[in-house]
Amino acid sequence: LTPKLSEEMRVSNMTLVAAFSAIGSAAAFTSRAAPRFAVRAATARAMSSDAGPFPCGDDEMPFYALGVNLAKQVGGQTGFKSLMSDEELDLVLKGFGEEICGTGISDGETILMTYGQELNKILQERSAGLVGRVKEEGEEFVQNFLDCNDDAVKTDSGLVYYSMTEGEGAQPAVTDTVEVHYHGTLIDGTVFDSSVDRGQTLSFPLGGVIKGWQEGVAMMKVGGKATLICPSELAYGEAGSGDKIPPGATLKFEVELFKVN
């Protein structure tokens, strides 16, 4: 899909990825590989009862799924919607359709050479503005949480720690492996990852997760439950994570600590 243009004129994959780093990476709080495109048909059909009916028949859905996969790779569920108007998004889809079908009236490489740099500038400026707004909303959420919870503590790093149940067991170090239940949400309450919802605890090396978890879980004791509010600097920063965690997002976790190894 990448045109062979001169390096200084073409719209490189790296530039586009950077512009949409607000939207793409890995989901949840651990470092996970992106899910593979292929999904067992039986599993997909079972999931459809929760997600609603599929838009096409079984023979057509693999091709529809290809379109979904391409959209997720480029911008996730929120990327283009956050950075472009509906009219601009229509133009994106028009350009994509005409180029892939070979029905465009202009040469694709010439279009990219002429307008590629302007596109990069637009995406970078809008991404920067979006990150700033998301961070400001996170700061307001943190302050409101502190105002409403007298026992909540804000550490020097910016982490907010609120003990819901005091534990009496071992207290982990960052070099330990811990077993926890967790429920992660954005500040608007949207759930992006939850072992509680899956009904299965998770064990992992504490030193291998986001900084907010490293600091916050290390403040807990086995048997305890706490709320951790992680500003973006202690979470996924300006890159965000997958199509669920926006760039600059402040994250809220409820964590219950079961075991320390």
Side-chain angles (χ1 to χ4, degrees):
L1 294 177
T2 305
K4 296 179 180 179
L5 305 177
S6 61
E7 187 66 27
E8 67 273 10
M9 295 301 293
R10 71 184 178 89
V11 183
S12 70
N13 282 339
M14 289 302 295
T15 303
L16 290 174
V17 168
F20 285 101
S21 62
I23 308 88
S25 186
F29 71 94
T30 53
S31 298
R32 298 179 180 174
R36 293 186 180 276
F37 173 65
V39 180
R40 288 181 180 270
T43 301
R45 291 190 185 94
M47 292 171 62
S48 68
S49 61
D50 294 329
F54 288 139
C56 307
D58 285 348
D59 291 342
E60 298 170 316
M61 278 307 301
F63 305 102
Y64 185 93
L66 174 60
V68 172
N69 187 52
L70 291 172
K72 284 183 172 293
Q73 288 187 30
V74 173
Q77 291 180 343
T78 60
F80 286 119
K81 290 182 180 179
S82 299
L83 298 177
M84 299 181 188
S85 67
D86 290 343
E87 291 76 14
E88 290 169 336
L89 183 55
D90 286 340
L91 290 171
V92 172
L93 297 176
K94 177 179 173 64
F96 178 86
E98 291 184 353
E99 181 65 20
I100 201 168
C101 294
T103 58
I105 61 174
S106 302
D107 177 69
E109 293 190 2
T110 301
I111 291 173
L112 291 177
M113 291 177 66
T114 305
Y115 295 101
Q117 291 183 347
E118 183 178 353
L119 169 62
N120 289 337
K121 181 180 178 181
I122 291 171
L123 295 180
Q124 289 165 356
E125 289 177 350
R126 293 186 184 183
S127 295
L130 176 63
V131 171
R133 291 195 300 273
V134 172
K135 284 186 174 182
E136 288 178 4
E137 291 170 355
E139 292 170 358
E140 293 174 1
F141 179 84
V142 165
Q143 189 57 55
N144 183 63
F145 187 90
L146 291 170
D147 291 341
C148 296
N149 297 278
D150 293 338
D151 294 331
V153 176
K154 184 177 181 181
T155 69
D156 291 341
S157 69
L159 173 74
V160 174
Y161 179 89
Y162 175 66
S163 177
M164 303 167 70
T165 302
E166 289 290 344
E168 297 181 354
Q171 185 168 355
V174 73
T175 54
D176 291 329
T177 295
V178 296
E179 180 181 347
V180 303
H181 249 328
Y182 65 94
H183 187 71
T185 62
L186 305 179
I187 61 174
D188 65 0
T190 300
V191 178
F192 60 82
D193 195 12
S194 175
S195 69
V196 176
D197 290 350
R198 291 192 296 271
Q200 184 175 5
T201 59
L202 184 68
S203 297
F204 55 88
L206 188 55
V209 294
I210 59 175
K211 293 180 180 179
W213 270 68
Q214 293 181 24
E215 179 180 359
V217 176
M219 297 170 68
M220 302 176 65
K221 294 182 178 180
V222 170
K225 185 174 182 179
T227 296
L228 309 179
I229 301 180
C230 306
S232 62
E233 293 79 10
L234 303 179
Y236 292 100
E238 297 187 0
S241 182
D243 58 4
K244 295 184 178 181
I245 301 176
T250 294
L251 307 180
K252 178 184 177 184
F253 297 92
E254 290 184 0
V255 183
E256 188 171 3
L257 180 60
F258 290 103
K259 188 183 296 185
V260 176
N261 294 320

